[in-house]
Amino acid sequence: MTLLPCKPFAMAGFLRTLLPYLMMCFALNTPLLHAAPGAHGPDGEHLTTDSQQQLTLLPRFEAFSELFELVGELQPHALVLHLHDYQSNRPLANAQIELETANLSSSAHYIADKNHYLIDDSALLDRLQQPGTHEMILTIISDDNADLLTASLDFSATDHADTAHHHHGHFPWWSLPFGLLMFVAGALFGRRGATK
């Protein structure tokens, strides 16, 4: 069996071809960076509910007073609450938070390793997951302050169904064959250019 001689593959041409492919894969697969959960922006400004809702697919609400600022996120099996001191934007631990809506009320418990509060009362969650706008009253008692906050949660059944499918980032598998095709085409053209 006789092997046909092959022309040496130019490393510079290969790298020129590989670099755009890697950059394209990185651009397609890099998730959007979101602001950390909380009530303030990166420069300490207080965010509005509208801008916060753009950062997540989960239903959210915000409530604040001169003492406290609270952001709530309704997840499928729990209501997660982030509590901050309004003036310093410092997260507050071990406060007492009671939420009332309609004829239901429930107390949140603090999760130290995640630095947030959790309400997992199934009756209250079932109520909040019904389509419509839910008015809430939150009683907050910290070590040195106490206040009463009101909030409104707008829950849409359609948005919640979309959330179930899009809550976690997924790898765009369609980009692999496209990227491979671009790489092979670039390698062939690069090899042809190197042999001329």
Side-chain angles (χ1 to χ4, degrees):
M1 179 176 178
T2 305
L3 293 176
L4 294 174
C6 61
K7 297 180 180 177
F9 187 80
M11 183 57 74
F14 174 74
L15 292 177
R16 266 196 319 265
T17 305
L18 184 61
L19 185 60
Y21 170 73
L22 292 176
M23 290 174 61
M24 181 186 66
C25 286
F26 178 76
L28 288 173
N29 298 316
T30 302
L32 294 175
L33 298 177
H34 297 299
H40 292 72
D43 298 321
E45 74 275 11
H46 298 281
L47 300 176
T48 64
T49 304
D50 290 341
S51 63
Q52 281 292 330
Q53 286 178 339
Q54 293 173 3
L55 300 178
T56 180
L57 294 173
L58 293 171
R60 291 171 71 99
F61 64 88
E62 180 179 343
F64 62 90
S65 67
E66 294 179 356
L67 299 174
F68 303 114
E69 192 162 20
L70 182 140
V71 173
E73 184 175 69
L74 183 60
Q75 298 181 357
H77 304 293
L79 178 64
V80 176
L81 304 171
H82 300 276
L83 179 65
H84 293 257
D85 177 81
Y86 185 82
Q87 297 298 327
S88 67
N89 194 28
R90 178 177 50 91
L92 296 176
N94 299 313
Q96 297 176 38
I97 303 176
E98 183 175 357
L99 185 147
E100 298 178 51
T101 183
N103 297 322
L104 300 171
S105 68
S106 185
S107 296
H109 50 277
Y110 182 66
I111 310 297
D113 60 334
K114 297 192 181 282
N115 199 24
H116 67 215
Y117 296 82
L118 202 66
I119 295 178
D120 53 8
D121 181 345
S122 58
L124 187 136
L125 292 174
D126 288 344
R127 174 71 182 170
L128 293 178
Q129 290 172 352
Q130 292 178 9
T133 301
H134 305 281
E135 302 298 330
M136 295 172 288
I137 299 174
L138 297 116
T139 305
I140 301 174
I141 303 173
S142 67
D143 290 338
D144 49 4
N145 282 310
D147 210 345
L148 204 64
L149 279 67
T150 59
S152 179
L153 175 68
D154 186 14
F155 184 87
S156 165
T158 304
D159 292 344
H160 183 61
D162 291 343
T163 297
H165 296 292
H166 297 103
H167 179 55
H168 299 289
H170 295 288
F171 183 83
W173 294 105
W174 61 266
S175 66
L176 286 180
F178 176 74
L180 185 60
L181 180 64
M182 295 293 290
F183 175 71
V184 170
L188 291 175
F189 283 117
R191 181 178 289 186
R192 183 179 298 168
T195 58
K196 288 183 179 178

